Amino acid sequence: MQCIRRQPKRTASQENMLLEQSRRVAALNGIRLGLKDDKDLKFLLRGSQLLKVKSSSWRKERFYKLQEDCKTIWQESKKVLRSPESQIFSIEDIRDVRSGHKTEGMEKYAKDVPEYRCFSIIFKDQRKNLDLIASSEDDANHWIAGLGKIIAHSNSMNQKQKLQHWIHTCLRKADKNKDNKMSLKELKDFLKEVNIEVDDYHAKKIFQHCDKSKTEALEDDEIEEFYKILTERKEIDSIFQMYSDPEGFMSCQNLVRFLYEVQQEEDAVVAAPALIQRYEPNERAKRGNAMTKDGFLMYLLSDEGNIFNPSHRKVYQDMTQPLSHYLVSSSHNTYLMEDQITGPSSTEAYIRALTKGCRCVELDCWDGPNSEPVIYHGYTLTSKILFSDVIKAIKNYAFKTSPYPVIISLENHCSVDQQKVMAQHMTTILQDMLLVAPVDGNKSQFPSPEQLKGKILVKGKKLSRQEDPINGNNNLEAEDVSDEDEAAEIEDESVKTKVEQKGKSDTLKLAKELSDTVVYCKSVHFEGFDDPHHPRAFYEMSSFSESKALKLAQESGTSFIHHNIRHLSRIYPAGWRTDSSNYSPVDLWNVGCQIVALNFQTAGTEMDVYQGRFQDNGFSGYVLKPEFLRDEQTKFNPKSITEGTWGTKKKLLLKIISGQQLPKVNKSKNSIVDPKVTIEIHGVQQDNNKKQTKVIENNGFNPNWNEEFTFDIEIPALALVRFVVEDFDMSTKNDFIGQYTLPFTSLKQGYRHIHLLTKNGDPYSSSTLFVYINIQDCD
């Protein structure tokens, strides 16, 4: 039997001393966040009782408190054997704090409580929302305002401040006896905490170097000395030395030279003085219009030192072209949170997709009880949500991330009566947002995203005698139209049985009221590419399964491109993807398909590439297709590239230099990552490529690779570059650490930092790669 040694009980004076120490640490972290003496922060640090709401029968009081690090929240748990880690969640994991009844849980289970006492914490990953009720309006306001301030101030910290905050938090964690000193054992524990494996000899060497007082413990200045050794960036020091004087200053003139020669910045003369003013912490250097090593590092870690072109963070493309000239960020079966067969449906899924920049959402509509249409994946066990609740969520979140139009893609299986209810809900809830008539009398081609700003379009079936939605409607009340039932394509035995039992019809009776909501996006079956002598109306659009679309792209690439200049095409995942897996969107973008719908709830390479493409053009959800995919005379075919005006071929020279603060994959204290980097090119077939670095063992804190790679890029306008960091494992599949994907045309040259994203596409606070980029024209 194993004996457990009890910790000696602390005296009252020791407890008071620790409490005072904790207050001092919290105050220091508050100052770091720019929230000195903030009343909301002080309230959160004291903590309060809140009612946690899970269902109509589960509403229990729990104590919540902000920890002294000002970045984690402790929650009381009554579960037996719950680990201490599971009672803590990080502020970094919070996407949003919503006041009132703004989640499905609050709508269903807390309607009896005044809105001013209610709030919800929405997490970045797939974690369930945390619905909470405060005992008073004041308490709720403290929590909402306090969390909002911490999130905003944390996001506005520069990389150096984030690193300092993180390291000091880890130091505090490693100081087991809370004596503000660090023993050799605590130093080794700390190194494991920050993801470095150091052998006893090296750990002792660092310790002895810092232990100037020879007391066998590091304190105050000695800990700061240790911090400096730890955060040293020798690879950046060597670049700085090439452009600085013996006193350690880089003159403005030398900074101009560096920006122009190395970073390929055309406005170097204007940029240099501005960078010094913005990032130089040393006042003497700033007055002398020069930069120190610290200022240089701050610049390289900033947005201006980012691999992604900062000018592409805002809308910079021409937004006045017809709608069909843009790629549109689009979601498949938007209502699903998980798989296609048994998973939950939720309005939250629409909110998440829209806030990720999605501009086309899908609604599968079926008859519901009490004459209220519902949304779910037909023939399956996925849960049902009210059509009206989804329309409300779309109204509230459609234009929070982007002002450009949202398309509601309807898959309608409802009776005529419930179709009328759908039309009524859209008209009364969306009001002026709903587009019900052509814009500016435009009857020959699509209006532009600019003209459709703030508008919601409906894609759906149109009554056949209303052939021309642009030139007005007639008085037909209802009639049969062809049915498009994507749910019936699911490759699942139970679904197939239900489809057979239903006796699937090829037609559906369509209500005039619902038909009238469709203006520019009339759904039709694809009958082949246009006959030039009898072209189809521009507003007619078809949906293709991924396999059908890929077959057309393979066999008739140029014809598909011509079709997509004038018409919209929507692509959806194959029926066998019951696990909500995704297909690569790249081959379909390459032939100009606009609405390439993916399962937004499923993380992975495909979604990384998708979000990489749409972070361009200000994350607006609309990216202008290259000229050769919009030109009526184009002969471009991505499967058979010939000479043409597709842009100059490029050679990409890439050096992976180092990594910084890579996160632990396995939370075990003794588990240290063995990182390797893979660089992938996604584009036309000739450009698709993949190369990787060597593995660095036992160092996720500051691994150094210094490896060079070269890629030839045939069609730069269609290429994306993805950087993936993995924890190498000899016996099993490598674990994902982080990734970053961006369009080739958004790459900045020179020495750049890549700010890595999590599996779900959210930024890590301080995990980066440091790289060198050079792009040359091919001969």
Side-chain angles (χ1 to χ4, degrees):
M1 181 177 162
Q2 188 180 5
C3 292
I4 297 171
R5 188 174 159 223
R6 285 180 179 275
Q7 291 289 325
K9 200 167 188 288
R10 294 190 184 106
T11 64
S13 64
Q14 282 175 320
E15 286 290 350
N16 288 336
M17 190 178 79
L18 285 171
L19 197 62
E20 184 51 39
Q21 200 176 304
S22 179
R23 284 197 193 108
R24 279 204 310 272
V25 170
L28 182 64
N29 285 322
I31 292 166
R32 282 196 185 115
L33 279 170
L35 293 171
K36 184 183 178 185
D37 297 330
D38 182 87
K39 67 180 193 315
D40 295 317
L41 183 71
K42 284 182 173 176
F43 178 87
L44 266 59
L45 286 163
R46 284 195 301 275
S48 75
Q49 296 286 351
L50 295 168
L51 277 177
K52 184 177 179 179
V53 181
K54 279 189 174 179
S55 70
S56 50
S57 59
W58 201 104
R59 192 186 282 185
K60 295 183 181 176
E61 199 169 70
R62 296 285 184 262
F63 188 75
Y64 288 81
K65 179 184 182 298
L66 180 68
Q67 304 274 82
E68 64 181 33
D69 61 5
C70 294
K71 55 190 278 191
T72 49
I73 288 172
W74 180 84
Q75 51 186 338
E76 178 190 14
S77 174
K78 297 289 168 73
K79 282 184 185 171
V80 182
L81 299 177
R82 187 166 179 179
S83 69
E85 288 79 17
S86 65
Q87 287 181 252
I88 291 170
F89 63 85
S90 170
I91 300 277
E92 284 174 11
D93 295 337
I94 298 175
R95 183 180 299 286
D96 192 14
V97 182
R98 293 185 202 150
S99 59
H101 304 143
K102 299 271 174 56
T103 63
E104 279 178 306
M106 283 302 201
E107 278 278 341
K108 282 183 188 171
Y109 313 128
K111 275 295 195 185
D112 58 315
V113 182
E115 283 212 61
Y116 56 73
R117 282 175 51 204
C118 300
F119 67 98
S120 301
I121 292 173
I122 317 300
F123 293 101
K124 286 178 179 174
D125 51 24
Q126 302 296 327
R127 221 180 315 179
K128 286 179 181 166
N129 301 336
L130 183 55
D131 293 323
L132 300 164
I133 299 170
S135 56
S136 69
E137 183 177 3
D138 273 355
D139 281 12
N141 289 339
H142 279 309
W143 276 102
I144 295 161
L147 289 171
K149 285 177 196 173
I150 296 168
I151 292 166
H153 285 256
S154 296
N155 289 342
S156 64
M157 286 169 102
N158 64 45
Q159 286 296 120
K160 199 168 180 187
Q161 289 169 321
K162 284 179 183 175
L163 173 62
Q164 194 175 19
H165 192 169
W166 177 66
I167 284 183
H168 280 281
T169 302
C170 292
L171 281 167
R172 180 101 179 115
K173 208 168 166 183
D175 183 12
K176 295 287 185 245
N177 60 358
K178 306 297 178 205
D179 62 354
N180 273 350
K181 297 177 184 177
M182 185 178 276
S183 66
L184 177 58
K185 184 184 182 309
E186 286 173 335
L187 179 132
K188 282 156 77 174
D189 286 345
F190 165 79
L191 290 171
K192 283 178 181 169
E193 188 67 40
V194 299
N195 218 351
I196 321 178
E197 180 75 73
V198 178
D199 61 40
D200 288 353
Y201 171 77
H202 282 99
K204 198 166 184 181
K205 202 172 168 187
I206 296 168
F207 186 83
Q208 286 171 344
H209 173 82
C210 298
D211 184 19
K212 306 282 194 250
S213 59
K214 308 294 181 204
T215 55
E216 295 296 313
L218 306 185
E219 50 190 312
D220 302 331
D221 292 347
E222 294 171 341
I223 289 176
E224 284 304 313
E225 174 69 15
F226 171 63
Y227 169 80
K228 277 181 187 163
I229 290 170
L230 199 62
T231 56
E232 201 172 20
R233 294 284 302 272
K234 287 179 180 170
E235 73 277 33
I236 288 177
D237 293 353
S238 61
I239 302 163
F240 181 78
Q241 281 165 10
M242 290 165 66
Y243 291 87
S244 61
D245 62 26
E247 287 184 35
F249 292 103
M250 184 190 284
S251 67
C252 186
Q253 192 179 354
N254 277 351
L255 180 56
V256 167
R257 197 159 60 84
F258 171 76
L259 292 174
Y260 187 73
E261 292 173 1
V262 180
Q263 305 295 79
Q264 307 285 308
E265 301 284 7
E266 290 174 10
D267 61 346
V269 175
V270 177
L275 292 175
I276 290 169
Q277 291 308 308
R278 197 171 302 140
Y279 298 114
E280 180 47 60
N282 183 309
E283 286 302 322
R284 183 184 149 212
K286 205 185 266 192
R287 283 194 302 273
N289 206 15
M291 201 175 241
T292 62
K293 189 166 66 175
D294 281 348
F296 187 62
L297 174 60
M298 301 252 295
Y299 148 64
L300 285 173
L301 283 167
S302 75
D303 214 32
E304 279 94 345
N306 199 310
I307 191 170
F308 184 80
N309 189 334
S311 68
H312 292 189
R313 290 197 195 284
K314 56 183 186 292
V315 174
Y316 68 96
Q317 295 177 344
D318 176 7
M319 300 303 280
T320 64
Q321 302 262 336
L323 199 64
S324 54
H325 287 193
Y326 298 83
L327 305 180
V328 184
S329 178
S330 308
S331 157
H332 170 250
N333 287 355
T334 313
Y335 47 88
L336 293 178
M337 299 285 279
E338 294 170 14
D339 66 77
Q340 306 282 312
I341 305 292
T342 59
S345 305
S346 171
T347 55
E348 195 61 47
Y350 286 90
I351 295 168
R352 288 183 183 183
L354 289 166
T355 51
K356 280 185 172 180
C358 179
R359 299 289 85 194
C360 179
V361 293
E362 189 178 356
L363 286 68
D364 281 4
C365 310
W366 299 78
D367 280 357
N370 308 316
S371 300
E372 281 293 339
V374 293
I375 289 173
Y376 83 111
H377 205 190
Y379 318 111
T380 71
L381 299 174
T382 56
S383 62
K384 298 170 183 177
I385 49 178
L386 287 174
F387 177 84
S388 58
D389 286 346
V390 169
I391 298 300
K392 285 175 196 165
I394 291 171
K395 179 193 176 179
N396 291 333
Y397 288 88
F399 304 112
K400 282 194 184 298
T401 300
S402 165
Y404 293 101
V406 166
I407 300 169
I408 291 177
S409 179
L410 290 182
E411 190 175 306
N412 166 30
H413 305 277
C414 291
S415 61
V416 168
D417 286 345
Q418 293 212 12
Q419 288 177 40
K420 290 176 182 177
V421 175
M422 285 165 62
Q424 187 186 358
H425 281 322
M426 287 195 286
T427 307
T428 54
I429 294 167
L430 298 177
Q431 298 179 334
D432 291 347
M433 286 182 181
L434 185 67
L435 187 83
V436 291
V439 176
D440 299 340
N442 194 340
K443 297 178 180 181
S444 59
Q445 65 174 15
F446 281 108
S448 68
E450 190 62 38
Q451 289 173 296
L452 293 167
K453 260 185 177 175
K455 289 293 180 187
I456 293 173
L457 286 67
V458 176
K459 169 201 160 291
K461 288 289 179 182
K462 195 84 180 158
L463 290 174
S464 63
R465 293 194 195 161
Q466 290 176 277
E467 270 307 316
D468 190 352
I470 301 299
N471 292 316
N473 301 320
N474 66 15
N475 297 319
L476 195 72
E477 285 304 314
E479 112 173 339
D480 285 347
V481 294
S482 61
D483 186 20
E484 290 184 358
D485 191 355
E486 289 169 21
E489 297 176 25
I490 295 178
E491 293 183 20
D492 178 84
E493 286 311 312
S494 63
V495 170
K496 284 177 181 172
T497 305
K498 285 179 185 172
V499 172
E500 284 163 15
Q501 287 167 352
K502 182 194 168 202
K504 188 178 171 318
S505 166
D506 289 335
T507 60
L508 169 87
K509 203 167 275 301
L510 179 66
K512 177 182 182 294
E513 290 83 348
L514 190 60
S515 176
D516 286 349
T517 64
V518 177
V519 180
Y520 284 118
C521 302
K522 178 187 173 184
S523 292
V524 298
H525 277 298
F526 181 70
E527 304 289 354
F529 295 120
D530 273 359
D531 174 348
H533 304 296
H534 303 95
R536 272 175 25 193
F538 73 89
Y539 50 78
E540 292 186 349
M541 64 174 290
S542 300
S543 290
F544 306 85
S545 70
E546 63 174 278
S547 49
K548 174 80 184 285
L550 287 167
K551 189 169 188 286
L552 288 170
Q554 180 70 39
E555 295 173 1
S556 316
T558 308
S559 299
F560 211 171
I561 288 167
H562 280 276
H563 175 84
N564 288 326
I565 292 170
R566 196 156 174 270
H567 300 280
L568 290 172
S569 291
R570 176 179 162 271
I571 321 299
Y572 58 92
W576 57 265
R577 295 186 184 275
T578 54
D579 60 350
S580 294
S581 61
N582 279 314
Y583 57 99
S584 170
V586 178
D587 284 342
L588 298 159
W589 288 335
N590 291 348
V591 289
C593 295
Q594 304 89 347
I595 301 175
V596 181
L598 259 57
N599 292 304
F600 267 51
Q601 73 273 31
T602 306
T605 305
E606 297 81 13
M607 202 63 215
D608 293 343
V609 168
Y610 206 84
Q611 290 298 79
R613 171 58 74 199
F614 286 106
Q615 72 166 315
D616 194 8
N617 202 31
F619 200 49
S620 63
Y622 285 85
V623 171
L624 186 64
K625 294 192 273 190
E627 174 64 34
F628 56 82
L629 293 182
R630 295 180 277 125
D631 175 13
E632 299 275 3
Q633 308 304 315
T634 190
K635 291 184 169 57
F636 180 73
N637 183 347
K639 297 295 178 188
S640 171
I641 293 168
T642 53
E643 289 300 313
T645 55
W646 332 130
T648 311
K649 296 177 190 176
K650 303 286 183 184
K651 189 176 282 294
L652 171 62
L653 305 167
L654 181 64
K655 186 177 186 182
I656 304 289
I657 301 170
S658 60
Q660 294 75 42
Q661 292 89 60
L662 303 178
K664 280 190 164 205
V665 175
N666 183 335
K667 296 299 177 193
S668 148
K669 187 177 81 171
N670 293 316
S671 172
I672 311 294
V673 300
D674 303 325
K676 69 162 192 161
V677 182
T678 304
I679 308 103
E680 302 169 354
I681 307 294
H682 297 260
V684 296
Q685 207 165 327
Q686 290 97 311
D687 290 345
N688 291 341
N689 206 340
K690 185 190 285 192
K691 296 180 181 180
Q692 58 191 38
T693 65
K694 60 180 179 283
V695 176
I696 303 290
E697 291 188 0
N698 291 326
N699 187 351
F701 183 74
N702 54 4
N704 263 277
W705 289 279
N706 279 312
E707 290 188 60
E708 294 182 355
F709 304 93
T710 306
F711 296 91
D712 290 326
I713 311 292
E714 187 92 17
I715 311 290
L718 298 179
L720 295 108
V721 187
R722 181 171 182 253
F723 298 87
V724 196
V725 188
E726 292 176 308
D727 179 13
F728 177 74
D729 196 311
M730 187 96 65
S731 54
T732 60
K733 190 171 178 277
N734 295 338
D735 287 319
F736 174 90
I737 293 176
Q739 70 85 31
Y740 189 78
T741 308
L742 74 166
F744 180 85
T745 50
S746 295
L747 281 170
K748 289 291 279 181
Q749 298 192 63
Y751 289 101
R752 302 286 168 180
H753 277 98
I754 298 171
H755 295 259
L756 294 171
L757 305 178
T758 66
K759 187 174 64 176
N760 291 305
D762 297 305
Y764 283 115
S765 66
S766 51
S767 298
T768 52
L769 292 177
F770 186 52
V771 300
Y772 174 76
I773 307 273
N774 183 252
I775 299 168
Q776 299 171 0
D777 291 348
C778 283
D779 297 334

